[in-house]
Amino acid sequence: MPTSSAIAVQHPLPAPGARLTGGLLYGWQRRNAAASMPLALHQLVVAGNLDNLELAIRATDAPAAPVSRAGTARSRANGVIPSAEVGYYGPVFMDSDIYKTLEAIGWELAPAGNQPRDRPPPPNQERLPAQPPRTGRGSDPDRVFASFAAATIELLARVQRPDGYLNSYIQASGEPRYAQLATSHEWYCDGHFIQAAIALARGTGGQEAMDIAIRLADHLVKEFAGQRKGLDGHPLIETALIELYRETGTAAYRDLAAQLVEQRGHGLTGDSGFGYRYLQDHLPVRERTTEVGHVVRALYLDAGVTDVATETNDSQLLDTSRQRWDDMVASKTSLSGGNGSRHEGESFGDHFEVPPDRAYNETCAAIASFQWSWRLLLATGEAKYADHMERILFNGFAAAINTDGNRFFYVNPLQRRVDHYEKDDPGRRREWFKTACCPPNIMRLLASLHHYLATSKDETLTIHQYATGTVTGADLTVELATNYPWDGEIALRVPSAPGTAEREIALRVPPWSAAAPLVVTINGSAERSPVPPDRYLRLRRAWRPGDEVRLHLDLAPRWTYPDRRADAVRGCVAVERGPLVYCFEQADQSARLDELAILPGTPLAERTVTLPGIGTTIQLSAPGRHVPPDPATAGAGWTSRPAPPAPAESAPSAAPADQAGPSGPAVPPAPDGRAVTVTAIPYFQWDNRGPGAMRVWIPAAAPSSPG
Ligand SMILES: [Zn+2]
């Protein structure tokens, strides 16, 4: 709910302008509240996050004995503190897990936001116990969430110093403030708290957390505005300060965010042990053309860059962010929408270094990319940003959560071999992590998901994402009903409209549906419409209550081929249907997955099935080949054959060297193998049926193979 001074081409709908009421996304949101968030409340106790707040209070009330400096330079670089040395649990950014959970609670408790109408309002006004509950499981979830939030905020008010400083690690350890900003995550944690406070204020109307957040932000302004005293190694504070500016109208928060954006790239972060590219501190943001280094840092930073550019009307700054986004999506992004080609440094790789098996694709990176793309959508109104948000949402992000909502991926590769291990970890979803950034990040996005459905500008209500729910903007309310993404039919009904005034409803047409003419039915009258160049179908009229629109999107399954420069997946193909990327899991195949190839370009058969651990889904199948290893070459990872004699030197070649025609070098045909059917399920549903191999990109059988 930004103030009227907030600038954007498109505006998010003011609360409670959108909500989900049915379908897949609504199911994810309800699962989040019923299973994931209670698990977070439990884990914040088990992992010691809440105890750390008590440690900080005790250290402040009775100054602690001097403690040894925490850990080696390397462990500091990873943010990990050997707890025995300082009595502190977990990494230095443990507070941020609490804050992300509080943010999820803020969105979840919004009375008219994500909740069904027949649910009672949360007991916001109730006086709540001083101690957080020791378990979030059982009892009425809203009451537990509200109780947890109130008790935790009360604790945080006691942790916060009179000058506004707030950080349990620094206060518990006695280490000096802001002395190691490259690794201390102090502003990163501050940013997450500010975001939590805004969510709680917007969701519940409660101001207690906002009071703490404003004291904290005022402290940062006092300490750092106009100064060159360092930069936090982990961006996030930038977006938080801009949102606090939007919430309060206090320009000093916007100006500090702008200052921090401009200061990055001048080596102010200090030594993290990973180099300056890791922290995006090697080059000013206005000069940088590509994403490098730690992915989550890079993407949170660019979300902040976009926010600053939007709120200061700085088109040059915005253009640099858009250029990096284009570059990233074109050459540094997995088909799932995930980012991070390297485990080392959790980082971006080179252009077209997009390995399916070694992709890191941290869940937080998917969330950060989603948030950055949303800001670019607000700033420009261009469909490609909403397209990418959808790709992330249904694939790279959704795959991080199991069917039951109680296990999570930190790393999201596009291939897992049957014998996969990373140290002692077989690469399956886990309940929690020592560095638990991802699970509560998932929770805050799912709890706020309805806010990303639509925007408004002047007399236009634009719907970017399709789900069953209600959106209100530009004096219009629209009810959406759909079984998307399983079905391409989207029904819109207008229950209320502003009399005789004309209003525009704009509907995004995804790129995979843009080839066919659109079929739109308005009050029973069908029309065929070309897809507009900007892929927003605009319907303008004086809407009357009861008006109905039906839009049909073409979800026909399709074959997807990689860029030829993406070496790791050359010769492979993938399968998609609507917004869903598909994957091949061992459980659905008749032979070993690593011995299968597929015949691209053949029809893809759809079948609705109910699978154990997954539920009802749509499988896709195509003809393939089972090609077991050749016993003659067993024992070597390659096969050699004598090269044929070169043509005589005097014979001129009619074709360029890279277009060897019929007379060019002969490529040995791949063995045809046995005909089989190869079957895929949506990628987001993988790893719900036990361990086993999985791949999104699958080798294409030789096109010359008999059908
Ligand atoms: Zn994470």
Side-chain angles (χ1 to χ4, degrees):
M1 205 183 323
T3 62
S4 57
S5 63
I7 300 168
V9 173
Q10 298 283 335
H11 291 280
L13 302 183
R19 64 195 190 104
L20 294 163
T21 57
L24 186 64
L25 299 188
Y26 177 73
W28 290 353
Q29 203 169 57
R30 294 297 91 223
R31 178 186 67 188
N32 188 50
S36 306
M37 289 172 60
L39 175 65
L41 266 54
H42 174 72
Q43 288 292 346
L44 291 174
V45 174
V46 172
N49 304 64
L50 296 171
D51 283 341
N52 286 336
L53 301 185
E54 306 272 8
L55 279 174
I57 292 169
R58 281 207 295 275
T60 306
D61 289 346
V67 294
S68 58
R69 300 292 289 179
T72 63
R74 185 72 176 185
S75 69
R76 285 298 308 231
N78 287 317
V80 176
I81 298 304
S83 60
E85 291 189 44
V86 294
Y88 187 86
Y89 298 97
V92 295
F93 40 79
M94 288 285 274
D95 290 352
S96 64
D97 301 340
I98 303 173
Y99 301 159
K100 280 182 269 191
T101 306
L102 285 174
E103 184 184 336
I105 289 172
W107 300 125
E108 179 58 33
L109 290 184
N114 3 357
Q115 298 182 54
R117 283 179 179 150
D118 56 359
R119 273 175 97 174
N124 293 333
Q125 310 308 319
E126 190 177 326
R127 186 66 193 159
L128 295 156
Q131 293 300 313
R134 287 294 149 178
T135 176
R137 288 176 169 155
S139 70
D140 172 38
D142 284 356
R143 186 175 296 273
V144 171
F145 293 152
S147 169
F148 174 88
T152 305
I153 292 163
E154 202 166 299
L155 263 183
L156 289 164
R158 292 168 60 202
V159 176
Q160 187 172 38
R161 304 317 308 135
D163 67 354
Y165 186 83
L166 174 65
N167 184 284
S168 75
Y169 172 71
I170 294 292
Q171 292 173 232
S173 70
E175 288 192 17
R177 299 175 181 182
Y178 308 125
Q180 298 197 57
L181 274 170
T183 55
S184 68
H185 293 72
E186 285 161 275
W187 297 358
Y188 168 80
C189 290
D190 295 346
H192 274 304
F193 182 77
I194 291 169
Q195 291 177 339
I198 293 168
L200 286 159
R202 290 180 184 168
T204 70
Q207 288 299 309
E208 295 83 357
M210 276 296 282
D211 292 344
I212 298 173
I214 288 171
R215 283 198 296 272
L216 177 56
D218 287 345
H219 159 77
L220 292 174
V221 168
K222 189 173 176 203
E223 282 284 320
F224 294 101
Q227 309 281 316
R228 286 175 65 87
K229 291 163 58 177
L231 273 180
D232 196 296
H234 203 308
L236 184 79
I237 189 69
E238 297 84 355
T239 49
L241 286 170
I242 289 290
E243 207 61 30
L244 191 61
Y245 157 67
R246 288 172 174 153
E247 184 73 15
T248 63
T250 304
Y253 307 148
R254 176 198 61 198
D255 297 345
L256 180 57
Q259 172 191 321
L260 300 180
V261 162
E262 297 294 350
Q263 286 183 335
R264 194 162 292 267
H266 300 278
L268 279 177
T269 50
D271 182 15
S272 69
F274 283 93
Y276 287 105
R277 275 177 176 71
Y278 175 81
L279 307 172
Q280 298 79 42
D281 198 19
H282 63 298
L283 208 58
V285 293
R286 290 179 189 273
E287 298 173 24
R288 193 156 52 79
T289 58
T290 190
E291 296 297 2
V292 297
H294 187 269
V295 176
V296 180
R297 292 167 204 247
L299 301 184
Y300 280 153
L301 174 62
D302 245 318
V305 169
T306 304
D307 267 347
V308 167
T310 303
E311 292 302 339
T312 59
N313 250 336
D314 189 333
S315 58
Q316 194 266 341
L317 187 63
L318 179 64
D319 285 347
T320 67
S321 196
R322 298 181 68 184
Q323 182 181 6
R324 284 189 292 275
W325 189 93
D326 286 340
D327 176 79
M328 177 188 81
V329 172
S331 62
K332 296 189 175 184
T333 300
S334 291
L335 188 63
S336 62
N339 292 107
S341 302
R342 299 178 185 173
H343 284 233
E344 175 68 24
E346 303 179 319
S347 69
F348 282 104
D350 303 336
H351 288 98
F352 296 104
E353 180 189 347
V354 281
D357 47 358
R358 298 302 296 155
Y360 197 69
N361 291 356
E362 183 180 337
T363 302
C364 287
I367 293 164
S369 181
F370 186 87
Q371 294 179 340
W372 179 25
S373 300
W374 168 248
R375 285 160 172 80
L376 287 170
L377 177 65
L378 292 180
T380 67
E382 292 183 16
K384 65 182 179 182
Y385 301 116
D387 298 339
H388 197 59
M389 291 171 68
E390 181 174 54
R391 177 171 294 279
I392 295 166
L393 176 63
F394 283 111
N395 302 291
F397 168 76
I401 315 140
N402 69 338
T403 303
D404 294 335
N406 57 8
R407 294 286 185 280
F408 311 97
F409 276 135
Y410 191 114
V411 178
N412 295 274
L414 274 67
Q415 179 178 4
R416 181 175 71 190
R417 293 188 178 79
V418 65
D419 58 342
H420 179 76
Y421 267 90
E422 200 74 45
K423 294 182 180 168
D424 287 330
D425 181 359
R428 303 205 60 204
R429 293 187 189 87
R430 290 160 59 180
E431 187 174 282
W432 210 249
F433 303 86
K434 281 182 184 169
T435 292
C437 50
C438 299
N441 217 358
I442 290 169
M443 294 164 205
R444 68 179 186 136
L445 177 56
L446 284 175
S448 60
L449 201 52
H450 49 293
H451 293 294
Y452 297 97
L453 298 179
T455 58
S456 68
K457 180 196 174 193
D458 304 328
E459 297 175 353
T460 300
L461 174 63
T462 305
I463 297 167
H464 303 283
Q465 308 297 344
Y466 295 111
T468 296
T470 305
V471 294
T472 301
D475 300 327
L476 270 178
T477 293
V478 173
E479 292 174 352
L480 295 112
T482 179
N483 197 24
Y484 192 83
W486 308 116
D487 187 307
E489 291 289 335
I490 294 145
L492 294 85
R493 189 175 156 277
V494 179
S496 70
T500 57
E502 287 197 345
R503 289 289 183 274
E504 186 173 85
I505 298 174
L507 304 168
R508 181 179 64 96
V509 181
W512 37 261
S513 187
L518 288 171
V519 179
V520 189
T521 305
I522 302 177
N523 293 333
S525 170
E527 297 173 15
R528 292 171 78 81
S529 168
V531 177
D534 70 354
R535 286 194 288 101
Y536 281 101
L537 177 68
R538 298 179 187 280
L539 307 172
R540 186 176 180 87
R541 60 172 57 204
W543 296 96
R544 291 169 305 185
D547 279 351
E548 288 187 351
V549 175
R550 284 183 175 272
L551 172 68
H552 176 79
L553 297 176
D554 180 9
L555 298 183
R558 60 193 189 274
W559 294 96
T560 300
Y561 302 83
D563 188 291
R564 65 179 177 79
R565 291 165 287 184
D567 301 270
V569 289
R570 188 177 297 126
C572 292
V573 290
V575 171
E576 296 179 89
R577 180 183 182 276
L580 299 179
V581 172
Y582 271 65
C583 74
F584 301 88
E585 265 202 307
Q586 184 61 65
D588 299 309
Q589 318 308 330
S590 59
R592 280 182 60 118
L593 183 59
D594 57 359
E595 298 175 359
L596 292 176
I598 203 165
L599 288 167
T602 54
L604 283 157
E606 291 185 28
R607 195 160 67 111
T608 300
V609 295
T610 300
L611 300 173
I614 290 176
T616 302
T617 189
I618 295 178
Q619 285 182 328
L620 297 176
S621 297
R625 293 287 180 269
H626 175 218
V627 188
D630 183 352
T633 60
W638 49 84
T639 304
S640 301
R641 293 188 175 88
E649 280 187 20
S650 59
S653 174
D658 62 347
Q659 294 179 16
S663 62
V667 178
D672 282 333
R674 175 172 63 92
V676 293
T677 296
V678 187
T679 299
I681 62 164
Y683 170 67
F684 82 82
Q685 294 177 320
W686 85 283
D687 196 47
N688 280 296
R689 291 176 289 177
M694 180 280 293
R695 67 189 308 160
V696 168
W697 294 104
I698 187 167
S704 59
S705 298

